[in-house]
Amino acid sequence: DREERVREYKEGLRENANRALRAFRLGYMPITWKQLHHGNAYLDRDVYVSVLQKATAAIDKNVTELLLWHENGAGGTTLLRKLLWDLHHENKHPVLLLRDDVSARESLICDAVERLYNAVDLTVVIGADNSHID
């Protein structure tokens, strides 16, 4: 009957949501921009606030590089995405997230960053996640 189908459908949704949450917490899938928008980042608040303050101070002092090292599964990707999200939405900085190997596209990326900086006259914050940058 209809009620039984609705109940099974809702159970399936719950199971899928639980699987996705487990996969996220185990580091198998990064947090999405939509999840960040809805405040669904699972971060240690004290650690995050400290990193945000250091990043903001580095931007204010025109520091060109700030490295965040982490072990796989420790939440580094989530922290980076949350940091980029907040720097863009709260501080209005343009941001760029680089993933994987970007060496083949370095000149395109440099040109895009230069055009973006010239257009808005604000520091462009680049986050590199699992990227090989020389």
Side-chain angles (χ1 to χ4, degrees):
D1 78 329
R2 183 177 186 283
E3 288 179 19
E4 179 67 20
R5 286 193 313 264
V6 168
R7 188 186 61 72
E8 288 174 2
Y9 176 75
K10 287 181 179 180
E11 270 182 31
L13 289 177
R14 252 190 309 279
E15 287 174 23
N16 285 340
N18 288 336
R19 271 196 301 274
L21 182 58
R22 276 193 305 275
F24 166 74
R25 287 184 174 157
L26 292 172
Y28 295 127
M29 56 187 267
I31 194 163
T32 65
W33 299 116
K34 183 177 181 180
Q35 290 167 321
L36 286 170
H37 174 71
H38 291 290
N40 294 335
Y42 301 98
L43 295 169
D44 180 306
R45 179 162 169 69
D46 293 335
V47 170
Y48 178 72
V49 168
S50 173
V51 171
L52 179 61
Q53 289 170 344
K54 288 176 184 174
T56 303
I59 292 167
D60 291 344
K61 295 177 184 174
N62 293 318
V63 172
T64 59
E65 187 175 90
L66 177 65
L67 298 175
L68 305 172
W69 295 98
H70 65 90
E71 296 290 327
N72 289 338
T77 295
T78 300
L79 188 139
L80 174 63
R81 287 181 180 223
K82 173 74 170 141
L83 181 65
L84 294 175
W85 180 267
D86 287 346
L87 289 172
H88 177 68
H89 286 279
E90 293 177 17
N91 299 21
K92 305 304 180 198
H93 286 284
V95 299
L96 176 64
L97 174 62
L98 303 178
R99 297 179 298 181
D100 305 317
D101 187 6
V102 297
S103 59
R105 299 170 289 164
E106 282 180 19
S107 64
L108 290 172
I109 293 167
C110 289
D111 289 344
V113 169
E114 184 178 3
R115 283 195 312 275
L116 184 56
Y117 174 78
N118 290 334
V120 298
D121 196 29
L122 288 170
T123 300
V124 178
V125 180
I126 302 171
D129 187 30
N130 294 325
S131 298
H132 304 286
I133 299 176
D134 296 323

